Amino acid sequence: MPALRAADLYHTGIVVPDVEAAMDRMSEVAGYRWTKPLSAELPIWMADGERTLTLRYTYSLDVPHIELVQEVPGTPWTATAHAAAHHLGYFCDDVPETSKRLEAAGFALEACAVTDGHAPSVFAYHLAPTGERIEIVDRALMPDFPASLQSRT
């Protein structure tokens, strides 16, 4: 059984230097509409240790959904010279278990929110040796994703 289900893919994430500028650019070019930018201050585990980071992001209201994430230099959320897809975001029902299954499939744990020791919770990023990055997110955070987006406009 695969670690993920294709049907649970709900967004493509792009890390950008300026969320508002990227929102404006994508709205002008493709007509995207957006949620208000959101911020969350979370304890994050990364290979070089645990830090509390402020993650700032927005989702497109239009499908296919795009997540724009404000870069945080020196972390996995660092923008590239050409803002390319950063990750594919999947909902899952059990972040710790799905994280273990992704690791067993060769996707190393890169970063995750932690609430109890270093066990992934809420979300986790996994990176394949060939560069594909997967974000898994606890489905319970947004059980009705479209309604969640509409409530943030």
Side-chain angles (χ1 to χ4, degrees), residues 84-98:
H86 178 265
H87 66 271
L88 297 175
Y90 290 83
F91 283 126
C92 69
D93 295 314
D94 185 335
V95 171
E97 179 59 29
T98 303

PDB file of all heavy atoms in Angstrom, residues 84-98:
ATOM      1  N   ALA A  84      10.169  28.130  -8.483  1.00  0.00           N
ATOM      2  CA  ALA A  84       9.606  26.894  -9.023  1.00  0.00           C
ATOM      3  C   ALA A  84       8.814  26.190  -7.927  1.00  0.00           C
ATOM      4  O   ALA A  84       8.870  26.572  -6.764  1.00  0.00           O
ATOM      5  CB  ALA A  84      10.737  25.994  -9.517  1.00  0.00           C
ATOM      6  N   ALA A  85       8.104  25.133  -8.331  1.00  0.00           N
ATOM      7  CA  ALA A  85       7.361  24.362  -7.341  1.00  0.00           C
ATOM      8  C   ALA A  85       8.316  23.918  -6.235  1.00  0.00           C
ATOM      9  O   ALA A  85       9.401  23.401  -6.502  1.00  0.00           O
ATOM     10  CB  ALA A  85       6.690  23.164  -7.986  1.00  0.00           C
ATOM     11  N   HIS A  86       7.926  24.133  -5.018  1.00  0.00           N
ATOM     12  CA  HIS A  86       8.726  23.788  -3.847  1.00  0.00           C
ATOM     13  C   HIS A  86       8.306  22.442  -3.291  1.00  0.00           C
ATOM     14  O   HIS A  86       9.137  21.651  -2.875  1.00  0.00           O
ATOM     15  CB  HIS A  86       8.548  24.895  -2.799  1.00  0.00           C
ATOM     16  CG  HIS A  86       9.259  24.665  -1.512  1.00  0.00           C
ATOM     17  ND1 HIS A  86       8.653  24.089  -0.419  1.00  0.00           N
ATOM     18  CD2 HIS A  86      10.531  24.939  -1.149  1.00  0.00           C
ATOM     19  CE1 HIS A  86       9.525  24.036   0.574  1.00  0.00           C
ATOM     20  NE2 HIS A  86      10.668  24.544   0.165  1.00  0.00           N
ATOM     21  N   HIS A  87       6.984  22.196  -3.262  1.00  0.00           N
ATOM     22  CA  HIS A  87       6.484  20.944  -2.690  1.00  0.00           C
ATOM     23  C   HIS A  87       5.086  20.631  -3.196  1.00  0.00           C
ATOM     24  O   HIS A  87       4.393  21.498  -3.714  1.00  0.00           O
ATOM     25  CB  HIS A  87       6.479  21.006  -1.153  1.00  0.00           C
ATOM     26  CG  HIS A  87       5.519  22.015  -0.596  1.00  0.00           C
ATOM     27  ND1 HIS A  87       5.874  23.334  -0.370  1.00  0.00           N
ATOM     28  CD2 HIS A  87       4.217  21.909  -0.220  1.00  0.00           C
ATOM     29  CE1 HIS A  87       4.832  23.989   0.122  1.00  0.00           C
ATOM     30  NE2 HIS A  87       3.812  23.155   0.219  1.00  0.00           N
ATOM     31  N   LEU A  88       4.718  19.373  -3.021  1.00  0.00           N
ATOM     32  CA  LEU A  88       3.358  18.919  -3.262  1.00  0.00           C
ATOM     33  C   LEU A  88       2.748  18.634  -1.904  1.00  0.00           C
ATOM     34  O   LEU A  88       3.337  17.909  -1.090  1.00  0.00           O
ATOM     35  CB  LEU A  88       3.342  17.662  -4.129  1.00  0.00           C
ATOM     36  CG  LEU A  88       3.911  17.828  -5.530  1.00  0.00           C
ATOM     37  CD1 LEU A  88       3.958  16.486  -6.243  1.00  0.00           C
ATOM     38  CD2 LEU A  88       3.099  18.838  -6.325  1.00  0.00           C
ATOM     39  N   GLY A  89       1.591  19.205  -1.631  1.00  0.00           N
ATOM     40  CA  GLY A  89       0.949  19.065  -0.326  1.00  0.00           C
ATOM     41  C   GLY A  89      -0.174  18.048  -0.349  1.00  0.00           C
ATOM     42  O   GLY A  89      -1.084  18.141  -1.166  1.00  0.00           O
ATOM     43  N   TYR A  90      -0.101  17.083   0.565  1.00  0.00           N
ATOM     44  CA  TYR A  90      -1.089  16.016   0.680  1.00  0.00           C
ATOM     45  C   TYR A  90      -1.710  16.031   2.068  1.00  0.00           C
ATOM     46  O   TYR A  90      -1.002  16.180   3.070  1.00  0.00           O
ATOM     47  CB  TYR A  90      -0.438  14.637   0.507  1.00  0.00           C
ATOM     48  CG  TYR A  90       0.023  14.335  -0.884  1.00  0.00           C
ATOM     49  CD1 TYR A  90       1.250  14.787  -1.337  1.00  0.00           C
ATOM     50  CD2 TYR A  90      -0.767  13.577  -1.751  1.00  0.00           C
ATOM     51  CE1 TYR A  90       1.687  14.507  -2.619  1.00  0.00           C
ATOM     52  CE2 TYR A  90      -0.331  13.292  -3.033  1.00  0.00           C
ATOM     53  CZ  TYR A  90       0.895  13.754  -3.458  1.00  0.00           C
ATOM     54  OH  TYR A  90       1.312  13.476  -4.735  1.00  0.00           O
ATOM     55  N   PHE A  91      -3.007  15.837   2.142  1.00  0.00           N
ATOM     56  CA  PHE A  91      -3.650  15.584   3.418  1.00  0.00           C
ATOM     57  C   PHE A  91      -3.390  14.138   3.812  1.00  0.00           C
ATOM     58  O   PHE A  91      -3.274  13.256   2.956  1.00  0.00           O
ATOM     59  CB  PHE A  91      -5.167  15.791   3.330  1.00  0.00           C
ATOM     60  CG  PHE A  91      -5.586  17.230   3.332  1.00  0.00           C
ATOM     61  CD1 PHE A  91      -6.400  17.723   2.327  1.00  0.00           C
ATOM     62  CD2 PHE A  91      -5.189  18.085   4.347  1.00  0.00           C
ATOM     63  CE1 PHE A  91      -6.811  19.043   2.334  1.00  0.00           C
ATOM     64  CE2 PHE A  91      -5.589  19.408   4.362  1.00  0.00           C
ATOM     65  CZ  PHE A  91      -6.407  19.886   3.337  1.00  0.00           C
ATOM     66  N   CYS A  92      -3.316  13.888   5.109  1.00  0.00           N
ATOM     67  CA  CYS A  92      -3.233  12.521   5.614  1.00  0.00           C
ATOM     68  C   CYS A  92      -3.963  12.463   6.951  1.00  0.00           C
ATOM     69  O   CYS A  92      -4.228  13.491   7.566  1.00  0.00           O
ATOM     70  CB  CYS A  92      -1.790  12.039   5.733  1.00  0.00           C
ATOM     71  SG  CYS A  92      -0.811  12.845   7.019  1.00  0.00           S
ATOM     72  N   ASP A  93      -4.276  11.261   7.390  1.00  0.00           N
ATOM     73  CA  ASP A  93      -5.023  11.090   8.635  1.00  0.00           C
ATOM     74  C   ASP A  93      -4.131  10.865   9.846  1.00  0.00           C
ATOM     75  O   ASP A  93      -4.593  11.010  10.976  1.00  0.00           O
ATOM     76  CB  ASP A  93      -6.002   9.918   8.488  1.00  0.00           C
ATOM     77  CG  ASP A  93      -7.065  10.219   7.443  1.00  0.00           C
ATOM     78  OD1 ASP A  93      -7.617  11.332   7.465  1.00  0.00           O
ATOM     79  OD2 ASP A  93      -7.317   9.357   6.592  1.00  0.00           O
ATOM     80  N   ASP A  94      -2.859  10.528   9.613  1.00  0.00           N
ATOM     81  CA  ASP A  94      -1.944  10.210  10.712  1.00  0.00           C
ATOM     82  C   ASP A  94      -0.553  10.679  10.316  1.00  0.00           C
ATOM     83  O   ASP A  94       0.192   9.958   9.645  1.00  0.00           O
ATOM     84  CB  ASP A  94      -1.977   8.698  10.963  1.00  0.00           C
ATOM     85  CG  ASP A  94      -1.163   8.275  12.170  1.00  0.00           C
ATOM     86  OD1 ASP A  94      -0.219   8.990  12.561  1.00  0.00           O
ATOM     87  OD2 ASP A  94      -1.464   7.201  12.715  1.00  0.00           O
ATOM     88  N   VAL A  95      -0.204  11.904  10.714  1.00  0.00           N
ATOM     89  CA  VAL A  95       1.082  12.479  10.307  1.00  0.00           C
ATOM     90  C   VAL A  95       2.263  11.626  10.763  1.00  0.00           C
ATOM     91  O   VAL A  95       3.134  11.310   9.949  1.00  0.00           O
ATOM     92  CB  VAL A  95       1.214  13.947  10.779  1.00  0.00           C
ATOM     93  CG1 VAL A  95       2.625  14.480  10.556  1.00  0.00           C
ATOM     94  CG2 VAL A  95       0.205  14.827  10.052  1.00  0.00           C
ATOM     95  N   PRO A  96       2.354  11.196  12.029  1.00  0.00           N
ATOM     96  CA  PRO A  96       3.517  10.389  12.423  1.00  0.00           C
ATOM     97  C   PRO A  96       3.651   9.087  11.617  1.00  0.00           C
ATOM     98  O   PRO A  96       4.748   8.736  11.177  1.00  0.00           O
ATOM     99  CB  PRO A  96       3.282  10.105  13.905  1.00  0.00           C
ATOM    100  CG  PRO A  96       2.382  11.198  14.370  1.00  0.00           C
ATOM    101  CD  PRO A  96       1.507  11.513  13.185  1.00  0.00           C
ATOM    102  N   GLU A  97       2.538   8.390  11.410  1.00  0.00           N
ATOM    103  CA  GLU A  97       2.595   7.124  10.672  1.00  0.00           C
ATOM    104  C   GLU A  97       2.922   7.351   9.200  1.00  0.00           C
ATOM    105  O   GLU A  97       3.738   6.633   8.618  1.00  0.00           O
ATOM    106  CB  GLU A  97       1.270   6.362  10.814  1.00  0.00           C
ATOM    107  CG  GLU A  97       1.239   5.053  10.064  1.00  0.00           C
ATOM    108  CD  GLU A  97       2.322   4.053  10.473  1.00  0.00           C
ATOM    109  OE1 GLU A  97       2.771   4.066  11.641  1.00  0.00           O
ATOM    110  OE2 GLU A  97       2.736   3.253   9.608  1.00  0.00           O
ATOM    111  N   THR A  98       2.302   8.335   8.588  1.00  0.00           N
ATOM    112  CA  THR A  98       2.585   8.626   7.179  1.00  0.00           C
ATOM    113  C   THR A  98       4.026   9.066   7.019  1.00  0.00           C
ATOM    114  O   THR A  98       4.696   8.702   6.045  1.00  0.00           O
ATOM    115  CB  THR A  98       1.607   9.691   6.641  1.00  0.00           C
ATOM    116  OG1 THR A  98       0.273   9.228   6.836  1.00  0.00           O
ATOM    117  CG2 THR A  98       1.847   9.969   5.175  1.00  0.00           C
TER     118      THR A  98
END
